[in-house]
Amino acid sequence: MNLDQKKVPLFEKLVEFHESRPVSFHVPGHKNGQVLSPSVRPYFHSLMHLDMTEIPGLDDLHAPEGVIAEAEKLAAAFFQSEHTYFLVGGSTAGNLAMILAACSPGDEVLIQRNSHKSIMNGLELSGARPVFLSPEYDGQVERYTSPYPAVLKEALDAYPNAKAVVLTYPDYFGRAYDIKEMIDLAHTYDIPVLVDEAHGVHFPLGRLFPGSSLHAGADVVVHSAHKMAPAMTMASYLHVQSSLLQKERIEHYLQMIQSSSPSYPLLASLDAARAYLAALQEQDISHIKESVRKVREILTASNCWNILPETPLDDPLKITLHVKHDIPAQDIASLFEAQGIYPELASHNQVLFIHGLAPFNELDRLEKAVKSINERLKNKPGRATIEIPELLSEPIQELALSYQEMTQLTNIDVSFQQAEGRIAAEAVIPYPPGIPLILKGERIKAHQMDTLQELIKRGVRIQQRTKGIKVFRE
């Protein structure tokens, strides 16, 4: 049955309800936008009209039968999944739910080492036994990208009873890989594949973008709709298409993890984001492609950085500056910010710009900013480089302690100089992108501490404290 992708049933129902002039004797306390401070009214008033609760006609996210069910069905049809769930707790909620649904305490799980912290948190909550697959270092882009299929095959042979394979696709910088080969390989062992595809919600559009892991046969896929599609922050999708995993278990954990009072504006933005993606035509994609070309051309006009080249594996909406002369990338990002232009992130040597799913209309401003930065950096001194190709040298790795063992131990604070050889009692996470440099339960190596201290010197933000680290008392 063909569904009309132009429809936005949840949004339309909220508008219809508002226009009926309802009298509120229920939560939320802003009473349809009437109870607001004067200073915030111009910004919040119209949005509050959509901020409803589960009253008759507006359905229930945790037991949808009406307009939310219809909106999720439209999303499933567009993304080509068996079922799509709306998430109001970000992709974090989806990642936690899919892992908890797939594994129990002590179960072995094969997981890509450079996964987001929410994946690691899901493993800890589940009590599973993670087996980490190290990604390969790609010298072309000078960062770790994805594991080789041969590493996954070796792990599958060594751990044939694993309950799931957890992959990240694409990476934060938009680099994809042949995920179908990985999925097909896992499925020969009847093991489900769970994919954190936070940055690939637009991949089902095809044409200009890498292929979707949903189309490649992944069992569960999580999309951050707010990252690349026009949805509100924290609005995400979870898609299921699997005979190897019961969707009822995912529903059970989503009810536990997500709020019992979900945000209707977030839900409506998911409905609208799907409709926006579905409405994009070939001509729209061509205009976006041309806009990307113009932005890349402007950003190329500097001797202080290179623009990483596009390949068929790269999301063209991600534009990465690779900084030269050993200038800290954070310095470059700060100079752009001083011009009112805000990149997505800066690592130790790269600055990421994300182009939206519409033509960029501030080309003159961007060009002036690049010229100004070039002038400022004429005689900028550099710093020592960070050697990272050996950072993840073990292709397959387990933690030094199980999560159950960790709960029985106390921890202490030690200096960076004292940390080598100890077992980390906390994850150390540069953010963004939120990928742990050191895992909780991992025995700390000297080069990890060297890298951490150099990242801090270069202004990379670490979510934990920047002096010392918690380790377990052994």
Side-chain angles (χ1 to χ4, degrees):
M1 180 177 64
N2 292 326
L3 300 177
D4 184 1
Q5 291 291 338
K6 294 179 182 178
K7 292 183 64 178
V8 278
L10 179 54
F11 172 75
E12 290 166 355
K13 188 66 175 179
L14 289 168
V15 172
E16 176 189 320
F17 187 78
H18 164 65
E19 291 178 347
S20 70
R21 300 178 63 198
V23 176
S24 172
F25 278 101
H26 55 77
V27 298
H30 58 71
K31 299 298 180 183
N32 302 332
Q34 298 308 305
V35 182
L36 287 172
S37 299
S39 60
V40 304
R41 179 176 292 274
Y43 301 96
F44 277 92
H45 186 248
S46 60
L47 181 63
M48 295 301 196
H49 295 161
L50 303 181
D51 188 35
M52 297 295 176
T53 190
E54 297 93 336
I55 54 182
L58 297 185
D59 210 357
D60 180 349
L61 177 65
H62 297 298
E65 296 178 340
V67 287
I68 293 177
E70 185 181 354
E72 289 185 339
K73 185 178 292 186
L74 281 163
F78 171 74
F79 289 104
Q80 298 179 33
S81 69
E82 290 176 11
H83 193 95
T84 292
Y85 299 91
F86 283 7
L87 307 178
V88 294
S91 287
T92 292
N95 287 340
L96 295 178
M98 72 181 183
I99 290 173
L100 290 167
C103 47
S104 301
D107 286 343
E108 296 164 347
V109 181
L110 308 183
I111 173 172
Q112 186 173 328
R113 171 62 177 79
N114 57 332
S115 293
H116 189 262
K117 64 175 184 173
S118 59
I119 296 289
M120 308 304 176
N121 291 338
L123 292 169
E124 183 173 353
L125 287 171
S126 73
R129 178 185 165 196
V131 178
F132 295 101
L133 313 180
S134 290
E136 292 298 318
Y137 183 79
D138 188 335
Q140 181 187 32
V141 296
E142 293 193 24
R143 63 175 183 270
Y144 287 96
T145 53
S146 61
Y148 281 161
V151 173
L152 175 59
K153 178 66 166 64
E154 182 182 349
L156 288 165
D157 287 339
Y159 302 91
N161 296 318
K163 295 299 182 182
V165 173
V166 184
L167 300 174
T168 298
Y169 172 95
D171 69 9
Y172 209 113
F173 292 82
R175 171 60 62 96
Y177 57 94
D178 185 359
I179 197 169
K180 188 177 190 308
E181 182 178 0
M182 307 281 271
I183 293 169
D184 290 346
L185 183 58
H187 283 171
T188 63
Y189 292 75
D190 291 330
I191 297 176
V193 179
L194 319 179
V195 182
D196 177 2
E197 195 173 300
H199 288 263
V201 68
H202 54 306
F203 285 6
L205 292 171
R207 294 165 284 192
L208 185 62
F209 307 108
S212 164
S213 61
L214 269 171
H215 299 170
D219 296 86
V220 184
V221 176
V222 174
H223 280 147
S224 286
H226 63 95
K227 283 188 166 63
M228 302 302 295
M232 294 179 69
T233 299
M234 293 179 66
S236 298
Y237 304 108
L238 185 150
H239 313 281
V240 181
Q241 51 175 16
S242 180
S243 59
L244 301 174
L245 197 63
Q246 295 179 345
K247 71 182 182 69
E248 289 77 16
R249 283 182 60 83
I250 291 177
E251 291 172 356
H252 169 71
Y253 285 108
L254 283 177
Q255 289 189 37
M256 292 178 66
I257 292 164
Q258 298 213 95
S259 171
S260 59
S261 301
S263 163
Y264 272 85
L266 264 65
L267 294 173
S269 77
L270 284 167
D271 198 16
R274 180 270 315 155
Y276 181 89
L277 292 173
L280 287 172
Q281 301 296 314
E282 196 70 46
Q283 185 179 19
D284 300 314
I285 300 296
S286 295
H287 290 159
I288 295 168
K289 184 177 181 180
E290 176 60 16
S291 177
V292 169
R293 185 195 67 76
K294 290 177 180 177
V295 170
R296 288 179 66 92
E297 183 179 335
I298 291 171
L299 289 172
T300 301
S302 177
N303 293 322
C304 300
W305 59 75
N306 295 321
I307 305 294
L308 291 187
E310 288 184 79
T311 76
L313 293 175
D314 291 306
D315 178 359
L317 300 185
K318 302 290 185 74
I319 304 170
T320 303
L321 312 188
H322 187 84
V323 180
K324 299 191 292 186
H325 312 307
D326 302 325
I327 300 171
Q330 187 59 56
D331 289 2
I332 303 289
S334 296
L335 289 171
F336 273 103
E337 290 162 4
Q339 301 287 327
I341 294 173
Y342 293 86
E344 169 66 12
L345 69 84
S347 67
H348 69 284
N349 64 343
Q350 295 179 345
V351 183
L352 174 63
F353 288 76
I354 298 180
H355 189 292
L357 279 170
F360 179 70
N361 295 318
E362 297 273 5
L363 294 173
D364 290 343
R365 188 174 176 185
L366 180 62
E367 188 170 12
K368 289 177 182 176
V370 171
K371 289 178 179 178
S372 174
I373 293 169
N374 285 337
E375 189 64 28
R376 290 282 302 274
L377 292 175
K378 269 185 179 179
N379 301 307
K380 180 78 173 178
R383 294 191 191 179
T385 58
I386 299 178
E387 298 297 332
I388 64 171
E390 300 303 319
L391 193 58
L392 303 178
S393 55
E394 299 176 58
I396 300 174
Q397 175 193 2
E398 292 193 55
L399 297 177
L401 296 170
S402 71
Y403 291 120
Q404 291 81 1
E405 289 171 324
M406 293 182 216
T407 63
Q408 305 302 312
L409 299 176
T410 58
N411 58 69
I412 57 174
D413 293 323
V414 300
S415 68
F416 289 156
Q417 291 73 26
Q418 297 171 313
E420 180 185 350
R422 308 295 293 267
I423 298 176
E426 61 179 345
V428 177
I429 307 170
Y431 197 89
I435 295 167
L437 173 67
I438 298 172
L439 297 167
K440 183 178 179 180
E442 179 178 27
R443 195 169 294 279
I444 300 169
K445 302 176 182 64
H447 59 257
Q448 289 176 310
M449 297 311 302
D450 292 341
T451 301
L452 173 61
Q453 292 178 82
E454 187 59 36
L455 289 173
I456 292 170
K457 287 179 186 176
R458 287 173 174 249
V460 175
R461 186 161 65 91
I462 309 296
Q463 282 201 318
Q464 285 68 26
R465 298 153 302 147
T466 57
K467 292 183 179 180
I469 183 172
K470 287 185 182 297
V471 298
F472 286 112
R473 190 190 299 275
E474 297 181 70

